[in-house]
Amino acid sequence: MAKKELLKHQEIERSIVKKYRKTIWSSFVAAVKDYELISEGDKIAVCISGGKDSMLMAKCLEQLHAHSEVPFELKYIVMDPGYNKENRELIEYNAKLMNIDVTFFDSNIFDVVTDAGGSPCYLCARMRRGCLYGKAKAMGCNKIALGHHFDDVIETVLMSMLYSSEIKTMLPKLHSTNFEGMELIRPLYKVKERDIISWANYNGLKFLRCACRFTAESEHNEDLSKRKEMKELIKYLREKNPEADNNIFRSLHNVNLATLPAWRDCDEGEVHSFLERYNDK
């Protein structure tokens, strides 16, 4: 049995760098290099939720660590916010199958979110991130890695435009505002979800659908239903134009400020108008 599991994790690793070299591995490496996500001496807490994205991220970072000329350390952590027995066991099984040496730590986030009401995904995400930062810092890490991918980026853009009246998305990395000296990185920033799904299916892997208990009630959850709506919208746009998703992503790297009537430097920053410079010309 042990020999079979060892062969399985080797097959999974090989599939990333060979079969999915162009769609996953090269995109992962490009994000790490282009956005300077990893530096010499980094100690990174790889945050695993149990879903396909974070599990793939863990294996990609593991492979990079094994072959990189830049020395850095990895610690694989799993926060249990209140999983049921079956979900906890599934994460443990996948970690063993994929030969990932994870450290579990518990929290009561699910109970807190349930009692608080309101938007469960928003509150859960904020609380989870705080717990992960705290655990990572206690372990001597200076960065946490999350499994957000290409589709998360462009879905966030569309959600912000259509529901929040702003052009905004998630950055490849950012400094923590509450934990001094800590950074968050997103190594799968350029990896598409369809390729992650293909990788999981190819290897016969089954993961948690989501890191929280509210997934089963997604049709009643505003945050999840909006994201599902964005997925359908992007699918429709891609049918009309196969490059639609790529163009949305590229546009984030090609913003022409000279054509915008207004903008601000940060979430709470001062709003600037094109009129400030208009008469100068």
Side-chain angles (χ1 to χ4, degrees), residues 16-65:
I16 295 172
V17 297
K18 290 190 176 293
K19 180 175 177 60
Y20 293 94
R21 186 172 191 85
K22 182 178 180 180
T23 54
I24 291 179
W25 180 249
S26 294
S27 297
F28 159 76
V29 172
V32 171
K33 290 183 177 180
D34 293 348
Y35 304 124
E36 301 178 357
L37 300 185
I38 298 177
S39 301
E40 181 176 345
D42 278 346
K43 189 172 183 180
I44 305 168
V46 184
C47 303
I48 298 174
S49 67
K52 65 186 189 310
D53 310 326
S54 60
M55 285 290 194
L56 171 63
M57 175 186 67
K59 295 306 290 183
C60 286
L61 284 169
E62 178 190 68
Q63 291 301 297
L64 182 65
H65 178 262

Side-chain angles (χ1 to χ4, degrees), residues 46 52 57 80 110 132 153 162 170 182 187-188 273-274:
V46 184
K52 65 186 189 310
M57 175 186 67
D80 185 341
F110 281 173
L132 291 169
V153 176
L162 298 177
M170 53 181 62
M182 297 291 294
L188 298 186
S273 169
F274 81 104

Side-chain angles (χ1 to χ4, degrees), residues 114-181:
T114 300
D115 295 339
S119 174
C121 281
Y122 176 76
L123 180 58
C124 183
R126 287 184 62 87
M127 293 183 66
R128 282 171 52 215
R129 187 172 299 183
C131 287
L132 291 169
Y133 270 129
K135 179 65 174 179
K137 190 163 188 176
M139 295 175 70
C141 297
N142 65 309
K143 291 180 179 178
I144 65 171
L146 300 185
H148 296 120
H149 49 65
F150 175 98
D151 295 76
D152 291 322
V153 176
I154 62 175
E155 287 163 16
T156 301
V157 175
L158 295 177
M159 285 177 64
S160 297
M161 292 177 66
L162 298 177
Y163 289 104
S164 300
S165 302
E166 63 178 343
I167 298 176
K168 177 182 179 181
T169 192
M170 53 181 62
L171 288 169
K173 64 179 180 180
L174 65 154
H175 294 287
S176 171
T177 55
N178 297 318
F179 294 84
E180 186 177 355

Side-chain angles (χ1 to χ4, degrees), residues 43 57 63 69 78 83 105 111 139 147 165 169 172 174 191 195 224 234 236:
K43 189 172 183 180
M57 175 186 67
Q63 291 301 297
E69 296 180 356
V78 179
Y83 293 128
F105 70 100
D111 291 335
M139 295 175 70
S165 302
T169 192
L174 65 154
V191 179
D195 296 318
L224 290 177
I234 293 169
Y236 170 78

Side-chain angles (χ1 to χ4, degrees), residues 60-95:
C60 286
L61 284 169
E62 178 190 68
Q63 291 301 297
L64 182 65
H65 178 262
H67 300 98
S68 175
E69 296 180 356
V70 177
F72 64 94
E73 295 182 55
L74 297 173
K75 295 291 183 181
Y76 305 94
I77 63 174
V78 179
M79 183 195 67
D80 185 341
Y83 293 128
N84 59 36
K85 182 174 180 290
E86 292 75 15
N87 285 345
R88 170 82 176 228
E89 289 178 347
L90 179 59
I91 299 174
E92 293 172 342
Y93 171 80
N94 282 330

Side-chain angles (χ1 to χ4, degrees), residues 155-270:
E155 287 163 16
T156 301
V157 175
L158 295 177
M159 285 177 64
S160 297
M161 292 177 66
L162 298 177
Y163 289 104
S164 300
S165 302
E166 63 178 343
I167 298 176
K168 177 182 179 181
T169 192
M170 53 181 62
L171 288 169
K173 64 179 180 180
L174 65 154
H175 294 287
S176 171
T177 55
N178 297 318
F179 294 84
E180 186 177 355
M182 297 291 294
E183 285 185 80
L184 181 156
I185 62 173
R186 296 182 168 108
L188 298 186
Y189 201 80
K190 293 189 175 185
V191 179
K192 294 186 177 182
E193 185 175 31
R194 64 188 180 192
D195 296 318
I196 300 175
I197 294 171
S198 176
W199 165 80
N201 291 339
Y202 175 79
N203 287 287
L205 299 171
K206 178 184 177 184
F207 299 110
L208 294 186
R209 283 188 57 209
C210 179
C212 76
R213 66 171 62 148
F214 300 101
T215 303
E217 304 171 358
S218 60
E219 65 273 17
H220 305 301
N221 185 293
E222 186 177 3
D223 293 328
L224 290 177
S225 63
K226 284 180 181 177
R227 193 160 288 276
K228 182 179 179 181
E229 182 182 333
M230 295 305 103
K231 289 183 184 295
E232 292 299 319
L233 175 57
I234 293 169
K235 180 181 177 181
Y236 170 78
L237 294 173
R238 196 185 293 120
E239 290 173 354
K240 300 295 182 180
N241 174 13
E243 287 295 308
D245 55 346
N246 291 325
N247 287 340
I248 295 173
F249 186 84
R250 293 187 189 114
S251 70
L252 300 175
H253 301 72
N254 192 32
V255 177
N256 189 341
L257 287 177
T259 67
L260 298 183
W263 65 92
R264 66 178 188 268
D265 294 330
C266 59
D267 284 343
E268 304 300 330
E270 180 182 355

